[in-house]
Amino acid sequence: MFSYEFMRNAFAAGTIIAIICGIMGVFVIARNMSFLTHTLSEIGFSGAAFGIFAGWAPLNGMLLFTVVSSVIVGQLSARSERREAATSAISALFIGLGILFLSLANKNASYATSILFGSVIGISAADVRQMLWLSLLVLIVIFVIYRFLKFDSFDHTGARVKGLWTNSLSITFLVLLALSVSVAAQIVGSLLIFILLTLPAATAKYFAHTVSGMMILAVALALIGVWLGLVLSYVTNYPVSFFIAAIEAVCYFAALGWQKLQTAE
């Protein structure tokens, strides 16, 4: 399996993605941004399609659309009474734009499938290097603002009372989330990226009782899902995104069952 360069690239990219998604996912769950993450993934599809239309690398188009739109979506979703409606409207608009850009670019259905559900074969060594640099940027920023971001994510009211710069933190986190979505979509695709950014962290919260513990467990679960998914995809020739989604879903439902057993005792 590792004699093929595309599989070596896929495992390297998958490892990077799992680490980023595990860490970012803890804050996504704490800040109740699962739906917003799903919206950003669909915006990523539109950005990748625009990149193909403009003759860019799909990742560059994704970065442009997700980074710019993440702040806009965050502002429109600020009021809880219109959060779901605004996010759904933007999601529908960008899916439509993605289909339009693919049509204008005269690309066939295989391009749409690759963008939506990921492609192991299409990952090159250059893609891995670009993902590595973007991921390092995300990790460095997270390290710098970690203490403040943790406070704001798990005790937003207390952070505001203390005079913490919550608005700036929110915008910074949204940009980091946009970068994470763009990076991770290379493996699992734009429509399924929210799985890695939510399920490992959502599972980890049932077993870990500290933020650092949740991060470690979430990263481990994401790594298991990605690595096992790549192996199963290689063996069966079925889409890797299906296996990753199935593995993470099984882990999550197992955690729910464990929690119910603990509560019943």
Side-chain angles (χ1 to χ4, degrees):
M1 179 172 63
F2 289 105
S3 61
Y4 296 102
E5 183 182 4
F6 75 90
M7 286 304 297
R8 295 196 298 270
N9 292 336
F11 268 88
T15 301
I16 295 169
I17 289 168
I19 293 171
I20 288 295
C21 288
I23 293 172
M24 287 293 294
V26 171
F27 296 109
V28 168
I29 295 299
R31 300 172 80 90
N32 296 316
M33 286 187 172
S34 299
F35 191 36
L36 178 56
T37 302
H38 179 58
T39 300
L40 282 177
S41 69
E42 292 167 344
I43 292 172
F45 162 68
S46 180
F50 174 77
I52 293 173
F53 168 69
W56 302 351
L59 178 57
N60 294 335
M62 258 188 202
L63 288 170
L64 173 64
F65 272 51
T66 55
V67 169
V68 172
S69 62
S70 62
V71 180
I72 299 174
V73 172
Q75 293 297 324
L76 287 175
S77 303
R79 296 182 181 179
S80 58
E81 65 270 16
R82 66 180 185 185
R83 179 178 301 159
E84 291 189 7
T87 307
S88 297
I90 292 174
S91 174
L93 171 63
F94 275 94
I95 288 179
L97 285 174
I99 296 171
L100 173 64
F101 288 136
L102 280 179
S103 177
L104 292 174
N106 294 320
K107 299 299 181 182
N108 57 31
S110 64
Y111 277 83
T113 302
S114 177
I115 294 172
L116 290 171
F117 302 106
S119 174
V120 175
I121 299 176
I123 298 175
S124 65
D127 293 330
V128 174
R129 287 193 294 271
Q130 187 177 18
M131 293 166 63
L132 178 61
W133 287 115
L134 288 172
S135 300
L136 285 174
L137 174 62
V138 172
L139 290 176
I140 289 171
V141 176
I142 286 289
F143 177 78
V144 172
I145 66 172
Y146 174 75
R147 186 163 60 91
F148 307 107
L149 183 61
K150 181 173 72 170
F151 188 15
D152 183 45
S153 299
F154 289 89
D155 187 9
H156 181 66
T157 302
R160 294 187 65 180
V161 170
K162 288 286 187 180
L164 197 63
W165 26 289
T166 55
N167 288 337
S168 298
L169 274 174
S170 179
I171 293 173
T172 302
F173 179 76
L174 285 169
V175 172
L176 293 176
L177 183 59
L179 292 175
S180 303
V181 166
S182 298
V183 167
Q186 305 303 299
I187 285 282
V188 294
S190 60
L191 287 188
L192 295 177
I193 180 52
F194 70 97
I195 291 170
L196 282 178
L197 278 166
T198 55
L199 288 186
T203 303
K205 73 179 182 180
Y206 290 111
F207 300 103
H209 303 292
T210 64
V211 177
S212 58
M214 284 178 63
M215 285 183 176
I216 292 171
L217 185 53
V219 168
L221 290 168
L223 283 171
I224 291 171
V226 170
W227 288 346
L228 189 54
L230 285 170
V231 171
L232 291 173
S233 177
Y234 175 80
V235 172
T236 64
N237 202 32
Y238 290 142
V240 64
S241 52
F242 160 71
F243 290 111
I244 293 175
I247 292 166
E248 299 300 346
V250 167
C251 290
Y252 177 71
F253 287 120
L256 281 180
W258 171 260
Q259 180 69 15
K260 286 187 176 182
L261 286 174
Q262 293 295 104
T263 306
E265 291 181 357

